[in-house]
Amino acid sequence: MTNQPSHPTPPNPATPTPELFTWEFATDPYPTYAWLREHAPVHRTRLPSGVEAWLVTRYVDAKHALADPRLSKNPAHHDEPAHAKGKTGIPGERKAELMTHLLNIDPPDHTRLRRLVSKAFTPRRVAEFAPRVQELTNDLIDRFAADGSADLIHDFAFPLPIYAICDLLGVPREDQDDFRDWAGMMIRHGGGPRGGVARSVKKMRAYLADLIHRKREALSDTSAPTPGEDLLSGLIRASDHGEHLTENEAAAMAFILLFAGFETTVNLIGNGTYALLTHPEQRARLEKSLAAGESDLLETGVEELLRYDGPVELATWRFATRPLTLGGQDIAAGDPVLVVLAAADRDPERFADPDVLDLGRRDNQHLGYGHGIHYCLGAPLARLEGQTALATLLTRLPDLQLAGDPADLRWRGGLIMRGLRTLPVEFTPERR
């Protein structure tokens, strides 16, 4: 694989630029992304929201853009026209005062907040959470295993990360169904009632503010962490040179851990299961490895599923702080830039046979969880949930198969995430 991209091939005037953001595109965007990589690797387009942005599709350019300090995460740098006001972030986060999280800020504030959050969200905490993830996985499968059929999105991929992140944050069990309802509205995006996303964000913000206040009061009597302390308490307790998270910062961080964490994992499980069900030779390979008690192919397999059809199609918004050149294109200060992870991770100049699913792929430095200082903080938790979910599904339901024609499946329309609306399956019912 070469480290330098080839020069773009001028498009044939008789061949128009493929149409973006249609339902057909949502079903299979990869041929369009291949065209863009070849002919217009940094491409300016008008998004469905009306915002104009640059799409970056080649791996080398994408990796560079993800780490370029001239591309800010702060929406204040967006030279936005009036019709695009407030259309570049999570709906409702501005009004709910949830903007001060890691996806919206740059150093030095980003450095300070990430260091504080990293003190609470440690690899050890994630590793200690593994038995609970396995317990949740088994409990959810128990609910439909005797039925012989299920919708794996609604019945499994969606509730698993919601309940997991709620447990990790320390949301009381009796309140977790409220979080499931709010998250359901957020994941539907345009499919729910008008303004529903913003209302759900507002409700979640109010709940988190109250929960943080109660936990802060409970922690005031002691400075020492307790065994098994939840993540929200850890965030409140964490300090950097005596400086703590404010309540607004803690609420914003809890919100983005939940918002960014649950939908990516829903899609990792959904897209990953779909890929395995439609690639029987790779599925059989993984099942044989799991039956032998091995974990290596499961680990490389989840990384390959993240590359092949990952949960995050486009990285979150970036804005040019000054004029710059990227992939041969001049980008003006204030312009939005969107790195297309799904396109970069299928770039033949970086990955051999990029359109082939190979669970044993070794040279797999995909960008599925980003790159640079904004690399996803929750990636270890998502990997744990993805590995646990896929291994348990294949082990407990060995004849799992799609129920119906794959062509009938629908993908959620959205800009950042890529995931199925439903995934109907059938299998031999487990005996109770």
Side-chain angles (χ1 to χ4, degrees):
M1 301 292 104
T2 178
N3 290 322
Q4 295 297 325
S6 58
H7 293 294
T9 303
N12 185 333
T15 306
T17 303
E19 194 172 356
L20 295 164
F21 311 118
T22 63
W23 285 113
E24 293 78 12
F25 171 83
T27 299
D28 183 9
Y30 296 104
T32 299
Y33 288 148
W35 191 97
L36 289 174
R37 279 196 309 267
E38 182 177 356
H39 300 294
V42 179
H43 175 66
R44 188 174 177 89
T45 190
R46 183 179 292 274
L47 305 173
S49 64
V51 177
E52 291 194 359
W54 295 93
L55 302 182
V56 181
T57 55
R58 288 186 173 179
Y59 183 91
V60 169
D61 296 332
K63 191 171 182 179
H64 177 81
L66 290 172
D68 193 330
R70 297 172 299 176
L71 293 174
S72 170
K73 297 292 291 173
N74 189 338
H77 290 290
H78 184 197
D79 185 18
E80 56 185 345
H83 73 274
K85 205 75 175 174
K87 293 182 178 179
T88 59
I90 299 168
E93 66 176 356
R94 294 191 189 206
K95 288 185 178 179
E97 298 182 358
L98 288 169
M99 294 290 289
T100 53
H101 56 69
L102 293 176
L103 295 185
N104 281 343
I105 56 176
D106 304 315
D109 290 335
H110 178 273
T111 308
R112 179 184 70 86
L113 280 183
R114 186 167 181 118
R115 190 161 52 224
L116 280 167
V117 175
S118 296
K119 289 174 181 285
F121 199 36
T122 62
R124 179 179 177 179
R125 187 187 294 271
V126 172
E128 290 174 346
F129 196 56
R132 178 57 181 157
V133 172
Q134 184 65 68
E135 181 183 11
L136 284 169
T137 301
N138 285 329
D139 287 349
L140 288 169
I141 295 176
D142 285 344
R143 297 181 189 183
F144 60 78
D147 299 337
S149 65
D151 172 7
L152 280 187
I153 302 299
H154 181 269
D155 298 326
F156 184 64
F158 175 70
L160 175 59
I162 282 291
Y163 292 140
I165 196 67
C166 281
D167 273 2
L168 195 64
L169 284 170
V171 176
R173 299 280 171 88
E174 61 269 22
D175 296 339
Q176 291 186 6
D177 282 338
D178 287 337
F179 266 77
R180 179 173 176 166
D181 291 342
W182 298 330
M185 182 59 68
M186 290 160 67
I187 204 172
R188 282 197 292 273
H189 302 303
R194 184 176 178 84
V197 177
R199 285 195 295 273
S200 293
V201 170
K202 187 176 181 180
K203 290 176 182 177
M204 192 177 291
R205 170 68 173 86
Y207 178 86
L208 286 170
D210 179 66
L211 184 61
I212 288 166
H213 181 72
R214 285 185 279 130
K215 287 184 180 291
R216 192 182 292 277
E217 285 190 332
L219 293 175
S220 62
D221 296 331
T222 176
S223 60
T226 57
E229 180 177 80
D230 61 74
L231 178 57
L232 203 50
S233 297
L235 285 174
I236 295 166
R237 193 189 300 281
S239 67
D240 186 32
H241 301 101
E243 186 175 8
H244 292 74
L245 289 168
T246 67
E247 289 204 1
N248 263 357
E249 289 171 340
M253 284 308 310
F255 168 74
I256 204 60
L257 284 171
L258 190 141
F259 183 85
F262 89 86
E263 190 170 359
T264 54
T265 308
V266 173
N267 295 346
L268 170 57
I269 296 170
N271 298 4
T273 303
Y274 175 69
L276 291 173
L277 294 180
T278 52
H279 292 78
E281 72 293 340
Q282 292 297 311
R283 172 188 174 172
R285 185 180 174 194
L286 179 56
E287 287 176 332
K288 181 178 179 181
S289 174
L290 292 171
E294 300 166 351
S295 62
D296 186 62
L297 191 64
L298 177 63
E299 293 170 3
T300 61
V302 166
E303 298 309 302
E304 174 68 346
L305 293 169
L306 284 163
R307 182 202 69 81
Y308 180 77
D309 198 10
V312 184
E313 191 166 346
L314 283 74
T316 48
W317 296 85
R318 285 166 168 76
F319 308 94
T321 58
R322 57 181 184 270
L324 59 97
T325 301
L326 181 62
Q329 288 288 350
D330 294 330
I331 295 172
D335 278 1
V337 175
L338 290 165
V339 176
V340 188
L341 306 179
D345 281 344
R346 295 263 191 126
D347 189 341
E349 295 191 4
R350 176 59 187 86
F351 300 98
D353 299 318
D355 295 323
V356 173
L357 180 68
D358 176 8
L359 298 185
R361 190 184 294 267
R362 292 291 176 180
D363 182 17
N364 194 3
Q365 295 181 36
H366 64 78
L367 301 177
Y369 282 124
H371 171 70
I373 63 170
H374 291 284
Y375 183 83
C376 178
L377 192 68
L381 177 61
R383 287 185 169 105
L384 167 65
E385 292 174 345
Q387 290 175 18
T388 304
L390 292 173
T392 309
L393 273 176
L394 294 178
T395 301
R396 288 191 56 180
L397 308 174
D399 62 348
L400 185 73
Q401 60 184 345
L402 286 173
D405 188 340
D408 294 333
L409 294 176
R410 293 291 176 264
W411 297 78
R412 283 192 301 275
L415 188 64
I416 302 299
M417 302 292 184
R418 172 166 171 77
L420 287 161
R421 290 178 178 271
T422 61
L423 184 56
V425 295
E426 54 192 12
F427 45 87
T428 300
E430 277 189 351
R431 293 184 178 180
R432 293 198 185 274

